[in-house]
Amino acid sequence: MLILGTHMSIAEGIAKTAENVVKMNANTMQIFSRNPRGSSYKNYSKEEVECFQKIRRENQFGPLLAHAPYTMNLASADERVYEFACMVIREDIARMDALQIENIVFHPGSHTGIGTEAGIRNIVAGLDQAITGEESIMILLETMSGKGTEIGVSFEELKEIRDGVKHPERIGVCLDTCHVFAAGYDIVNDLDKVLEEFDRVLGLDLLRAIHLNDSMMPFGSHKDRHAAIGEGEIGLEALLRVLEHPLLRKLPFYLETPFDDVGHKKEMEMIKRKLEER
Ligand code: FE
Ligand code: FE
Ligand code: ZN
């Protein structure tokens, strides 16, 4: 069964958001683990959490995904930025694990001049102070487009991070189709080769989630601009092949396309219709 959802705002609370997922005929969702541009978060009441768990259970949601804030840079050499990132990832792993959310994804970070190796050392140390090894949640590294000094533009960099930490068994990967395309992995003309490469470097068992996005920017551009499915440089056909690939089809897919809930509902309907027509 296709597990498809979108990034959702949790402004209305987590139970109401899960209800909205059902109304959109989706069966999973991605939410921010806290305010993506600030640092605040809401604590949910016991009743609200119970309601949320009931909705996802009764509607057989697939794995849920939390996304850490964009302001969090675990690769930073700036002490204040780094301390903040360490606190956020530590708290949010624990908070999302307590909500029984299966996966939390974060952008590995930007080294802002200190170099990839030093940046990766910071990320590893940041993860080591955050992961206890007792949690059930998986911490996913997102594949990045490589804009600026972003780390995670290659599968090798993600492997280096995973290999460095004390609890690699808690680390997985979230593949963003827009980002890998912009990073120079040719998922349009040779998806099989990209997946072989992923398997060789990281192992496909580490792939836990797909961010399904088209790209406004061309192949290898190292620019991160999401487009609606079928309206970018990747195109509908290539994205449908991602959805139905035998090695990927059991994974949860999350749209991060520029729409509100109404637009996302239509986009998911279009995707399902096109898959059925094939
Ligand atoms: Fe992301
Ligand atoms: Fe993404
Ligand atoms: Zn992006």
Side-chain angles (χ1 to χ4, degrees), residues 67 70 107 142 179 211 256:
H67 197 304
Y70 299 134
H107 297 176
E142 183 163 349
H179 297 176
H211 281 166
E256 295 176 314

Side-chain angles (χ1 to χ4, degrees), residues 70 107 142-145 147 176 178-179 211 213 224-226 256:
Y70 299 134
H107 297 176
E142 183 163 349
T143 59
M144 302 310 292
S145 65
K147 66 172 185 288
D176 186 310
C178 166
H179 297 176
H211 281 166
N213 302 306
D224 180 4
R225 296 283 298 281
H226 300 189
E256 295 176 314

Side-chain angles (χ1 to χ4, degrees), residues 131-144:
I131 301 172
T132 65
E134 302 293 311
E135 37 307 81
S136 303
I137 197 166
M138 289 289 287
I139 296 100
L140 309 187
L141 311 169
E142 183 163 349
T143 59
M144 302 310 292

Side-chain angles (χ1 to χ4, degrees), residues 45-262:
S45 68
K46 194 165 164 267
E47 291 71 29
E48 182 170 8
V49 172
E50 276 167 12
C51 183
F52 158 67
Q53 302 295 7
K54 186 164 178 271
I55 294 167
R56 66 189 279 204
R57 198 171 50 241
E58 284 179 354
N59 293 281
Q60 292 164 355
F61 281 11
L64 302 184
L65 181 57
H67 197 304
Y70 299 134
T71 46
M72 187 190 102
N73 184 5
L74 270 187
S76 178
D78 180 297
E79 200 171 329
R80 280 180 54 197
V81 173
Y82 186 65
E83 291 303 317
F84 171 75
C86 284
M87 176 199 71
V88 169
I89 193 71
R90 190 174 63 239
E91 288 182 357
D92 286 7
I93 287 172
R95 290 173 53 243
M96 297 301 108
D97 191 43
L99 285 172
Q100 294 168 44
I101 287 174
E102 284 85 348
N103 299 298
I104 179 168
V105 61
F106 75 102
H107 297 176
S110 297
H111 67 69
T112 64
I114 60 170
T116 303
E117 289 309 311
I120 288 177
R121 275 198 299 277
N122 288 348
I123 297 166
V124 167
L127 287 172
D128 278 342
Q129 62 86 46
I131 301 172
T132 65
E134 302 293 311
E135 37 307 81
S136 303
I137 197 166
M138 289 289 287
I139 296 100
L140 309 187
L141 311 169
E142 183 163 349
T143 59
M144 302 310 292
S145 65
K147 66 172 185 288
T149 61
E150 249 173 17
I151 294 170
V153 63
S154 70
F155 301 152
E156 282 81 1
E157 288 179 6
L158 300 181
K159 178 177 168 54
E160 232 184 288
I161 296 168
R162 186 174 190 272
D163 284 353
V165 301
K166 280 190 222 125
H167 292 289
E169 76 282 0
R170 300 257 54 85
I171 306 285
V173 174
C174 171
L175 185 143
D176 186 310
T177 53
C178 166
H179 297 176
V180 291
F181 178 76
Y185 288 103
D186 194 355
I187 56 171
V188 174
N189 297 302
D190 209 342
L191 177 60
D192 282 330
K193 194 177 138 219
V194 174
L195 295 180
E196 273 167 37
E197 179 86 354
F198 189 102
D199 195 37
R200 183 179 62 77
V201 177
L202 282 154
L204 272 170
D205 54 320
L206 296 186
L207 184 53
R208 297 302 175 102
I210 306 274
H211 281 166
L212 193 74
N213 302 306
D214 212 326
S215 173
M216 257 161 70
M217 297 298 176
F219 177 71
S221 60
H222 296 290
K223 291 208 174 84
D224 180 4
R225 296 283 298 281
H226 300 189
I229 303 303
E231 288 173 24
E233 301 278 326
I234 301 175
L236 179 62
E237 178 60 32
L239 290 167
L240 292 174
R241 283 200 299 266
V242 170
L243 281 156
E244 64 183 6
H245 196 286
L247 293 172
L248 307 177
R249 58 189 308 165
K250 292 211 170 82
L251 291 171
F253 295 88
Y254 308 87
L255 299 169
E256 295 176 314
T257 47
F259 287 118
D260 59 7
D261 286 3
V262 177

